Amino acid sequence: MDAILVVNAGSSSVKFRVFKVENPQTLRQLVSGQVDGIGVRPTLKASGADDRKLVDRSYEAKDIPDVATAMRTAGAWLRSEQNLDFVAIGHRVVHGGPHYDRPVLVDEKVVADLERYVPLAPLHQPNNLAPIRVLLERFPDMPQVACFDTAFHRGHSEVAERYAIPDAFYAEGVRRYGFHGLSYEYVAQRLRELMPERSAWRTIVAHLGSGASMCAIADGRSIESTMGFTALDGLPMGTRPGQIDPGVVLYLLSEKGMSAAKVQDFLYKECGLKGLSGVSNDVRELLESGEPRAAVALDYFVYRIGLYAGYLAASLGGLDSFVFTAGIGERSAAMRTRIVEKLAWLGAELDPDANGNSSFRISRVDSRLAVYVVPTNEELMIAKHTVATLSGASWVDTAAKRTA
């Protein structure tokens, strides 16, 4: 069966989904899976469209030491045991830099261009590109599409995009990009589908997970984001600090004698909720912990979300709705309760029962600020972009006919 493969590769896992092309506008998910524990305790897990378990297989650490090998392992299983042949592959790529403002068909030149942004997203970009290189080498004729987390934000005004530094740096790409764009784009589309009469609402979407950010959206377009040049900025995250005075970085370099590489490692891996709490980077564990520093970390997280809500509301000139998405936003009623309390000045009033059930609308019907929970689906967004990018080619209609 022909299908589209979507790949979302991280530092210790490769997530994948497979979609059947019903027609150029309709995609049906066939398989969802991942290889995690790469290099430590690798496992391949996947389920079908009906959530039936298809595989749960463990490997020795030496058998899957890196992302590239994980991609080969998952691909071999999909082809040999699921009888899937792919007509195209879509990839999440975190940073598109100043030039890639939409999904693009990948070749060696594109990969070389994207490697320049590895220093701007060291946790993500190398791992995003690793499967692309593997597949270019093994299947050079296979269409691959790179979909960028930065692209959704590229319509920001110049004043929103700039830093107050000399113009030469802006010209070479030192600017505020924003991230989690595939998630925000999906949520914006879902809101338009679910509430077409309110598609022009001024909305803040909070993508709250191990990586966390918020985005101001008006009429389905990104207006402002909490993240900037890199994915370090804005909200505190699992292991990243969020907004920090640049003077702190200078202090680490000049007074603590840390190298640039050590500072980078520190900011990406040792800060955020992990650094504040000294306990964990996982909100679930912090909520269960009795350690005072765990409570401080959660208080700080909620406080900063409240601050940035005001910042983003100002960029929109007012606020009509607030949307939770991603792991914490979709699953933690306790954290939603605490955050909505910080939004009371904007008119938010929570419906406790709806919140406890993770309903679509979790605010009271008479709440001046409407509050929603919308599960994100970055992989479906990537699949749609893959079809759209290649829609002029004959393979789309041919694939739809073959898989009908």
Side-chain angles (χ1 to χ4, degrees):
M1 180 186 293
D2 293 326
I4 289 175
L5 173 64
V6 170
V7 178
N8 186 346
S11 59
S12 61
S13 67
V14 174
K15 298 178 183 178
F16 59 88
R17 292 195 191 184
V18 179
F19 295 87
K20 176 183 177 182
V21 184
E22 302 281 2
N23 58 60
Q25 287 75 43
T26 306
L27 300 169
R28 179 165 62 88
Q29 183 174 302
L30 300 176
V31 178
S32 175
Q34 66 180 32
V35 181
D36 57 18
I38 294 171
V40 182
R41 290 188 295 273
T43 59
L44 167 63
K45 297 180 180 180
S47 57
D50 56 358
D51 291 329
R52 178 175 54 88
K53 184 183 294 185
L54 299 176
V55 65
D56 187 348
R57 188 174 299 165
S58 298
Y59 298 83
E60 296 293 325
K62 62 181 176 59
D63 295 330
I64 306 182
D66 52 35
V67 169
T69 309
M71 187 66 249
R72 293 190 190 97
T73 302
W77 174 78
L78 287 165
R79 289 191 303 274
S80 64
E81 298 187 39
Q82 298 302 304
N83 299 315
L84 291 166
D85 293 313
F86 303 114
V87 294
I89 302 172
H91 298 266
R92 178 195 179 202
V93 178
V94 164
H95 214 304
H99 305 300
Y100 294 101
D101 61 356
R102 68 199 65 194
V104 64
L105 188 63
V106 174
D107 57 21
E108 295 288 353
K109 179 182 181 303
V110 170
V111 173
D113 284 345
L114 296 175
E115 284 175 341
R116 293 186 296 162
Y117 308 122
V118 166
L120 307 188
L123 290 187
H124 302 90
Q125 199 84 348
N127 300 303
N128 298 159
L129 298 180
I132 297 176
R133 291 194 200 94
V134 169
L135 293 163
L136 276 175
E137 180 181 332
R138 298 190 66 190
F139 307 102
D141 296 326
M142 173 72 68
Q144 295 190 72
V145 175
C147 303
F148 304 102
D149 262 337
T150 50
F152 183 62
H153 305 292
R154 291 305 311 283
H156 285 182
S157 68
E158 184 176 340
V159 292
E161 199 174 58
R162 277 185 176 269
Y163 290 106
I165 57 177
D167 186 64
F169 290 96
Y170 178 77
E172 71 180 48
V174 182
R175 60 187 70 180
R176 300 185 68 250
Y177 289 99
F179 297 89
H180 294 134
L182 292 163
S183 175
Y184 292 128
E185 186 178 11
Y186 176 82
V187 170
Q189 289 191 5
R190 283 295 291 154
L191 289 172
R192 190 179 297 116
E193 292 167 1
L194 294 167
M195 302 185 300
E197 75 284 359
R198 296 176 176 177
S199 61
W201 269 18
R202 298 163 299 181
T203 300
I204 292 173
V205 180
H207 177 107
L208 305 179
S210 179
S213 69
M214 294 160 67
C215 179
I217 296 175
D219 199 20
R221 297 184 302 107
S222 173
I223 303 300
E224 181 60 271
S225 172
T226 57
M227 282 184 167
F229 183 52
T230 70
L232 284 171
D233 201 5
L235 299 178
M237 292 163 257
T239 60
R240 286 169 270 170
Q243 183 186 37
I244 190 169
D245 185 336
V248 175
V249 178
L250 297 177
Y251 175 82
L252 296 176
L253 292 166
S254 63
E255 301 301 319
K256 304 302 289 185
M258 295 171 68
S259 67
K262 179 64 176 176
V263 170
Q264 176 176 282
D265 196 60
F266 173 74
L267 293 175
Y268 275 99
K269 298 179 181 179
E270 301 299 329
C271 295
L273 299 179
K274 176 183 177 182
L276 275 170
S277 70
V279 174
S280 174
N281 65 341
D282 192 316
V283 164
R284 292 167 296 186
E285 293 181 16
L286 296 178
L287 284 167
E288 295 172 358
S289 175
E291 291 291 328
R293 287 175 60 192
V296 170
L298 292 175
D299 287 345
Y300 184 83
F301 186 60
V302 172
Y303 173 70
R304 301 302 293 188
I305 292 170
L307 286 182
Y308 272 108
Y311 160 83
L312 294 175
S315 75
L316 291 166
L319 191 62
D320 301 305
S321 61
F322 188 97
V323 179
F324 289 98
T325 196
I328 299 167
E330 294 172 23
R331 302 186 187 100
S332 180
M335 291 304 293
R336 291 196 300 261
T337 297
R338 295 179 62 174
I339 292 165
V340 172
E341 288 174 356
K342 291 290 185 183
L343 306 178
W345 69 278
L346 288 165
E349 296 183 67
L350 192 70
D351 180 330
D353 292 335
N355 183 49
N357 293 325
S358 295
S359 301
F360 169 53
R361 177 164 179 154
I362 62 171
S363 56
R364 288 171 39 172
V365 293
D366 58 347
S367 177
R368 184 159 48 87
L369 179 67
V371 184
Y372 301 97
V373 178
V374 178
T376 193
N377 194 333
E378 294 163 300
E379 288 79 11
L380 179 57
M381 198 73 247
I382 293 168
K384 288 181 175 181
H385 278 312
T386 300
V387 170
T389 301
L390 301 172
S391 61
S394 60
W395 72 266
V396 173
D397 291 330
T398 302
K401 290 174 182 176
R402 282 201 301 258
T403 57

